[in-house]
Amino acid sequence: MAIVTSENFRTADADVIFKSCDNVLFHIHRRNLEVQARGFPSAEIDTNGEVVPITEDSSTLELFFRYIYPQRHPNIDLLPFEDLFKLAEAAEKYEFFNLMIICNARLKQLLPERPAELFNYGYKHGYPDISNLAAPLLLDIPLDIIVVTLSPHLVVPWVLYWKCWSRAAEAALNLPEPIQYDPWGAPVQKKLSQCPSCDHICGREHRKLGGDQQLSQKSLQDLLKLSMTKNRANLSSHDGEISDLNRALDAVPEFSTFL
Protein backbone atom coordinates (compact mmCIF):
# COMPACT_ATOMS: atom_id res chain seq x y z
CA MET A 1 0.00 0.00 0.00
CA ALA A 2 1.40 3.37 -1.04
CA ILE A 3 2.20 5.91 1.66
CA VAL A 4 0.13 9.09 1.49
CA THR A 5 -0.13 12.20 3.65
CA SER A 6 -3.30 13.32 5.40
CA GLU A 7 -4.88 16.37 3.74
CA ASN A 8 -5.69 17.84 7.16
CA PHE A 9 -2.29 17.27 8.79
CA ARG A 10 0.50 18.20 6.38
CA THR A 11 1.75 21.54 7.71
CA ALA A 12 5.40 22.30 6.95
CA ASP A 13 6.30 23.46 10.46
CA ALA A 14 5.17 20.25 12.18
CA ASP A 15 7.96 18.58 14.14
CA VAL A 16 6.82 14.96 14.33
CA ILE A 17 5.35 12.64 11.71
CA PHE A 18 3.18 9.67 12.62
CA LYS A 19 2.29 6.84 10.28
CA SER A 20 -1.01 5.00 10.71
CA CYS A 21 -1.33 1.24 10.29
CA ASP A 22 -2.80 1.85 6.82
CA ASN A 23 0.16 4.00 5.67
CA VAL A 24 -1.15 7.55 6.09
CA LEU A 25 1.26 10.20 7.41
CA PHE A 26 0.22 12.84 9.94
CA HIS A 27 2.42 15.91 10.49
CA ILE A 28 1.78 17.03 14.07
CA HIS A 29 3.05 19.75 16.42
CA ARG A 30 4.54 18.02 19.42
CA ARG A 31 3.78 20.79 21.89
CA ASN A 32 0.07 20.48 21.21
CA LEU A 33 0.30 16.72 21.56
CA GLU A 34 2.28 16.93 24.80
CA VAL A 35 -0.25 19.27 26.42
CA GLN A 36 -3.27 17.13 25.50
CA ALA A 37 -2.13 13.50 25.55
CA ARG A 38 0.55 12.47 28.00
CA GLY A 39 0.84 8.98 26.52
CA PHE A 40 3.12 10.32 23.78
CA PRO A 41 6.83 11.03 24.33
CA SER A 42 7.74 14.51 25.59
CA ALA A 43 8.46 17.20 23.04
CA GLU A 44 11.99 17.33 24.45
CA ILE A 45 12.70 13.86 23.03
CA ASP A 46 14.13 14.18 19.52
CA THR A 47 12.84 11.69 16.95
CA ASN A 48 15.68 12.69 14.56
CA GLY A 49 13.20 13.28 11.76
CA GLU A 50 12.10 9.66 11.70
CA VAL A 51 8.51 8.70 10.96
CA VAL A 52 6.84 7.20 14.04
CA PRO A 53 4.56 4.23 13.24
CA ILE A 54 1.51 3.74 15.47
CA THR A 55 -1.14 1.02 15.45
CA GLU A 56 -4.29 3.09 14.91
CA ASP A 57 -5.85 3.42 11.46
CA SER A 58 -6.05 6.71 9.59
CA SER A 59 -9.78 7.30 10.15
CA THR A 60 -9.23 7.11 13.93
CA LEU A 61 -6.19 9.40 13.82
CA GLU A 62 -7.99 11.98 11.66
CA LEU A 63 -10.44 12.37 14.54
CA PHE A 64 -7.91 12.00 17.35
CA PHE A 65 -5.48 14.65 16.13
CA ARG A 66 -8.22 17.20 15.49
CA TYR A 67 -8.86 17.25 19.22
CA ILE A 68 -5.33 18.35 20.09
CA TYR A 69 -5.72 21.71 18.33
CA PRO A 70 -7.81 24.74 19.36
CA GLN A 71 -10.47 24.41 16.69
CA ARG A 72 -14.05 23.23 16.27
CA HIS A 73 -14.05 19.53 17.12
CA PRO A 74 -15.91 16.74 15.33
CA ASN A 75 -19.43 15.92 16.49
CA ILE A 76 -18.99 12.40 17.83
CA ASP A 77 -22.75 12.00 18.18
CA LEU A 78 -22.75 11.34 14.44
CA LEU A 79 -20.05 8.65 14.53
CA PRO A 80 -20.92 4.99 13.97
CA PHE A 81 -20.33 2.94 17.11
CA GLU A 82 -17.28 1.15 15.70
CA ASP A 83 -15.52 4.45 14.88
CA LEU A 84 -16.41 5.95 18.25
CA PHE A 85 -15.17 2.83 20.03
CA LYS A 86 -11.80 2.98 18.25
CA LEU A 87 -11.48 6.67 19.11
CA ALA A 88 -12.25 5.95 22.77
CA GLU A 89 -9.65 3.17 22.83
CA ALA A 90 -7.05 5.54 21.36
CA ALA A 91 -7.90 8.19 23.96
CA GLU A 92 -7.37 5.62 26.71
CA LYS A 93 -4.14 4.31 25.22
CA TYR A 94 -2.54 7.75 24.88
CA GLU A 95 -4.07 9.16 28.08
CA PHE A 96 -5.93 11.98 26.34
CA PHE A 97 -8.12 12.83 29.32
CA ASN A 98 -10.41 15.43 27.76
CA LEU A 99 -11.21 13.13 24.87
CA MET A 100 -11.76 10.22 27.27
CA ILE A 101 -14.50 12.21 29.03
CA ILE A 102 -16.14 13.15 25.73
CA CYS A 103 -16.10 9.57 24.40
CA ASN A 104 -17.37 8.05 27.63
CA ALA A 105 -20.33 10.43 27.77
CA ARG A 106 -21.37 9.35 24.29
CA LEU A 107 -20.71 5.64 24.95
CA LYS A 108 -23.07 5.73 27.93
CA GLN A 109 -25.82 6.93 25.62
CA LEU A 110 -25.25 3.84 23.46
CA LEU A 111 -25.41 1.32 26.30
CA PRO A 112 -28.85 -0.06 25.34
CA GLU A 113 -27.52 -0.82 21.84
CA ARG A 114 -24.09 -2.28 22.69
CA PRO A 115 -24.10 -3.45 26.33
CA ALA A 116 -21.72 -6.40 25.90
CA GLU A 117 -18.89 -4.37 24.33
CA LEU A 118 -19.30 -1.55 26.84
CA PHE A 119 -19.47 -3.91 29.82
CA ASN A 120 -15.97 -5.20 28.99
CA TYR A 121 -14.76 -1.72 28.02
CA GLY A 122 -15.76 -0.34 31.41
CA TYR A 123 -13.71 -2.86 33.35
CA LYS A 124 -10.80 -2.81 30.96
CA HIS A 125 -10.32 0.92 31.50
CA GLY A 126 -11.52 1.35 35.07
CA TYR A 127 -15.06 2.66 34.59
CA PRO A 128 -17.20 0.47 36.85
CA ASP A 129 -20.11 2.89 36.42
CA ILE A 130 -20.31 1.97 32.73
CA SER A 131 -20.12 -1.75 33.46
CA ASN A 132 -22.70 -1.47 36.24
CA LEU A 133 -25.12 0.22 33.85
CA ALA A 134 -24.46 -2.40 31.17
CA ALA A 135 -24.77 -5.46 33.42
CA PRO A 136 -28.60 -5.54 33.83
CA LEU A 137 -28.96 -5.19 30.05
CA LEU A 138 -27.04 -8.47 29.55
CA LEU A 139 -29.34 -10.64 31.63
CA ASP A 140 -31.37 -11.78 28.62
CA ILE A 141 -28.28 -13.41 27.11
CA PRO A 142 -27.97 -17.12 28.05
CA LEU A 143 -25.41 -17.68 30.77
CA ASP A 144 -23.38 -20.16 28.73
CA ILE A 145 -23.08 -17.59 25.94
CA ILE A 146 -22.35 -14.46 27.96
CA VAL A 147 -19.53 -16.03 29.99
CA VAL A 148 -17.62 -16.76 26.77
CA THR A 149 -17.61 -13.05 25.92
CA LEU A 150 -16.38 -11.91 29.34
CA SER A 151 -12.80 -11.38 30.45
CA PRO A 152 -11.79 -14.46 32.49
CA HIS A 153 -11.63 -12.60 35.82
CA LEU A 154 -15.24 -11.44 35.38
CA VAL A 155 -16.81 -14.89 34.89
CA VAL A 156 -17.21 -15.91 38.55
CA PRO A 157 -18.47 -12.45 39.62
CA TRP A 158 -20.96 -12.56 36.75
CA VAL A 159 -22.35 -15.95 37.82
CA LEU A 160 -22.75 -14.63 41.38
CA TYR A 161 -24.48 -11.49 40.12
CA TRP A 162 -26.73 -13.54 37.83
CA LYS A 163 -27.77 -15.86 40.66
CA CYS A 164 -28.49 -12.93 42.98
CA TRP A 165 -30.66 -11.28 40.33
CA SER A 166 -32.44 -14.56 39.55
CA ARG A 167 -33.28 -15.21 43.18
CA ALA A 168 -34.54 -11.66 43.66
CA ALA A 169 -36.91 -12.16 40.72
CA GLU A 170 -38.06 -15.51 42.12
CA ALA A 171 -38.83 -13.98 45.50
CA ALA A 172 -40.72 -11.05 43.98
CA LEU A 173 -42.77 -13.36 41.76
CA ASN A 174 -43.67 -15.59 44.71
CA LEU A 175 -42.04 -18.80 43.51
CA PRO A 176 -42.71 -22.00 45.42
CA GLU A 177 -40.25 -23.51 47.89
CA PRO A 178 -38.07 -25.47 47.82
CA ILE A 179 -36.46 -24.29 44.59
CA GLN A 180 -34.19 -26.71 42.76
CA TYR A 181 -31.17 -25.32 40.89
CA ASP A 182 -29.22 -26.69 37.98
CA PRO A 183 -25.37 -26.69 38.06
CA TRP A 184 -25.32 -23.07 36.91
CA GLY A 185 -27.56 -21.94 39.72
CA ALA A 186 -30.68 -21.54 37.58
CA PRO A 187 -34.01 -22.44 39.23
CA VAL A 188 -35.58 -25.55 37.66
CA GLN A 189 -39.18 -24.96 38.75
CA LYS A 190 -40.89 -21.59 38.38
CA LYS A 191 -44.17 -20.01 39.34
CA LEU A 192 -44.06 -16.56 37.86
CA SER A 193 -47.03 -14.71 39.26
CA GLN A 194 -48.70 -14.07 42.56
CA CYS A 195 -52.01 -14.33 40.71
CA PRO A 196 -52.91 -18.08 40.67
CA SER A 197 -55.13 -17.70 37.60
CA CYS A 198 -52.18 -16.33 35.63
CA ASP A 199 -49.63 -18.98 36.60
CA HIS A 200 -50.11 -21.45 33.75
CA ILE A 201 -50.10 -18.70 31.10
CA CYS A 202 -47.07 -16.97 32.60
CA GLY A 203 -45.16 -20.25 32.79
CA ARG A 204 -45.95 -21.11 29.18
CA GLU A 205 -44.85 -17.66 27.98
CA HIS A 206 -41.68 -17.90 30.05
CA ARG A 207 -40.68 -21.11 28.28
CA LYS A 208 -41.47 -19.47 24.95
CA LEU A 209 -39.22 -16.50 25.77
CA GLY A 210 -36.31 -18.74 26.69
CA GLY A 211 -36.99 -19.87 30.24
CA ASP A 212 -34.56 -18.80 32.91
CA GLN A 213 -32.35 -16.97 30.44
CA GLN A 214 -34.78 -14.04 30.04
CA LEU A 215 -34.03 -12.23 33.29
CA SER A 216 -33.71 -8.54 32.47
CA GLN A 217 -36.05 -6.21 34.31
CA LYS A 218 -37.90 -5.32 31.12
CA SER A 219 -38.32 -8.97 30.10
CA LEU A 220 -39.72 -9.95 33.48
CA GLN A 221 -42.07 -6.96 33.48
CA ASP A 222 -43.26 -7.79 29.98
CA LEU A 223 -43.72 -11.44 30.90
CA LEU A 224 -45.83 -10.60 33.93
CA LYS A 225 -47.97 -8.15 31.95
CA LEU A 226 -48.36 -10.63 29.09
CA SER A 227 -49.57 -13.37 31.37
CA MET A 228 -52.16 -11.05 32.89
CA THR A 229 -53.31 -9.77 29.51
CA LYS A 230 -53.78 -13.27 28.10
CA ASN A 231 -55.82 -14.17 31.17
CA ARG A 232 -57.90 -10.99 30.68
CA ALA A 233 -56.67 -9.70 34.01
CA ASN A 234 -57.02 -6.00 34.78
CA LEU A 235 -53.45 -4.72 34.61
CA SER A 236 -54.21 -1.82 36.92
CA SER A 237 -55.26 -4.27 39.60
CA HIS A 238 -51.83 -5.92 39.43
CA ASP A 239 -49.76 -2.76 39.83
CA GLY A 240 -48.66 -4.05 43.22
CA GLU A 241 -47.07 -7.15 41.71
CA ILE A 242 -45.17 -5.12 39.13
CA SER A 243 -44.04 -2.66 41.82
CA ASP A 244 -42.88 -5.55 44.02
CA LEU A 245 -40.87 -6.94 41.11
CA ASN A 246 -39.26 -3.56 40.42
CA ARG A 247 -38.37 -3.00 44.07
CA ALA A 248 -36.80 -6.45 44.36
CA LEU A 249 -34.68 -6.01 41.25
CA ASP A 250 -33.68 -2.45 42.13
CA ALA A 251 -32.36 -3.80 45.45
CA VAL A 252 -29.92 -6.22 43.77
CA PRO A 253 -26.34 -4.97 44.39
CA GLU A 254 -24.48 -3.50 41.44
CA PHE A 255 -22.20 -5.87 39.57
CA SER A 256 -19.02 -4.23 40.89
CA THR A 257 -19.87 -5.39 44.43
CA PHE A 258 -19.28 -8.99 43.32
CA LEU A 259 -15.69 -8.39 42.21
Side-chain angles (χ1 to χ4, degrees):
M1 182 183 296
I3 298 177
V4 298
T5 301
S6 166
E7 291 296 326
N8 295 316
F9 299 96
R10 58 188 310 130
T11 179
D13 63 346
D15 48 10
V16 62
I17 303 174
F18 293 100
K19 185 176 74 171
S20 67
C21 65
D22 49 353
N23 284 342
V24 178
L25 302 179
F26 294 83
H27 296 243
I28 303 297
H29 297 91
R30 298 180 66 177
R31 282 297 179 188
N32 293 72
L33 195 62
E34 181 182 32
V35 169
Q36 297 289 353
R38 72 178 191 180
F40 286 96
S42 167
E44 297 176 358
I45 299 176
D46 190 359
T47 59
N48 297 317
E50 294 183 5
V51 174
V52 180
I54 51 181
T55 58
E56 286 70 30
D57 61 31
S58 58
S59 62
T60 301
L61 294 177
E62 286 284 352
L63 294 167
F64 183 93
F65 287 133
R66 286 176 66 181
Y67 276 93
I68 73 171
Y69 290 100
Q71 61 182 10
R72 186 181 294 276
H73 294 154
N75 182 0
I76 64 171
D77 289 349
L78 304 178
L79 287 180
F81 176 83
E82 289 73 16
D83 294 340
L84 173 63
F85 195 79
K86 288 190 294 184
L87 181 62
E89 288 285 1
E92 295 291 335
K93 175 181 176 180
Y94 297 113
E95 299 183 318
F96 192 164
F97 297 112
N98 288 339
L99 185 55
M100 289 156 61
I101 293 171
I102 293 169
C103 289
N104 285 344
R106 177 56 180 155
L107 288 173
K108 285 182 179 179
Q109 296 175 346
L110 299 176
L111 272 167
E113 301 172 26
R114 309 297 286 260
E117 294 98 321
L118 295 179
F119 179 83
N120 281 316
Y121 170 87
Y123 277 96
K124 175 182 178 182
H125 296 299
Y127 301 112
D129 58 322
I130 292 180
S131 295
N132 285 336
L133 291 171
L137 303 177
L138 300 175
L139 287 162
D140 283 340
I141 302 176
L143 192 60
D144 58 344
I145 294 177
I146 190 63
V147 295
V148 176
T149 71
L150 300 178
S151 300
H153 73 285
L154 296 178
V155 172
V156 171
W158 179 261
V159 173
L160 295 175
Y161 172 75
W162 184 90
K163 288 176 68 174
C164 185
W165 184 282
S166 175
R167 286 171 175 167
E170 292 161 11
L173 293 169
N174 197 27
L175 300 181
E177 296 291 344
I179 299 170
Q180 301 297 319
Y181 292 87
D182 67 17
W184 285 103
V188 175
Q189 183 180 7
K190 275 189 173 288
K191 176 182 176 184
L192 292 175
S193 173
Q194 295 176 1
C195 174
S197 62
C198 296
D199 288 341
H200 68 288
I201 297 175
C202 198
R204 183 171 67 246
E205 294 303 326
H206 190 243
R207 288 190 294 273
K208 189 183 300 182
L209 288 172
D212 296 310
Q213 310 299 354
Q214 296 284 337
L215 286 176
S216 74
Q217 191 159 359
K218 183 179 185 305
S219 290
L220 293 171
Q221 289 171 346
D222 290 346
L223 179 62
L224 195 53
K225 292 175 183 178
L226 180 61
S227 68
M228 296 171 189
T229 301
K230 289 200 171 187
N231 200 49
R232 295 186 175 89
N234 184 348
L235 288 180
S236 62
S237 68
H238 290 272
D239 286 344
E241 291 182 34
I242 296 173
S243 296
D244 287 345
L245 173 64
N246 291 337
R247 279 194 296 270
L249 298 181
D250 290 343
V252 174
E254 292 183 321
F255 174 77
S256 58
T257 63
F258 295 89
L259 290 173

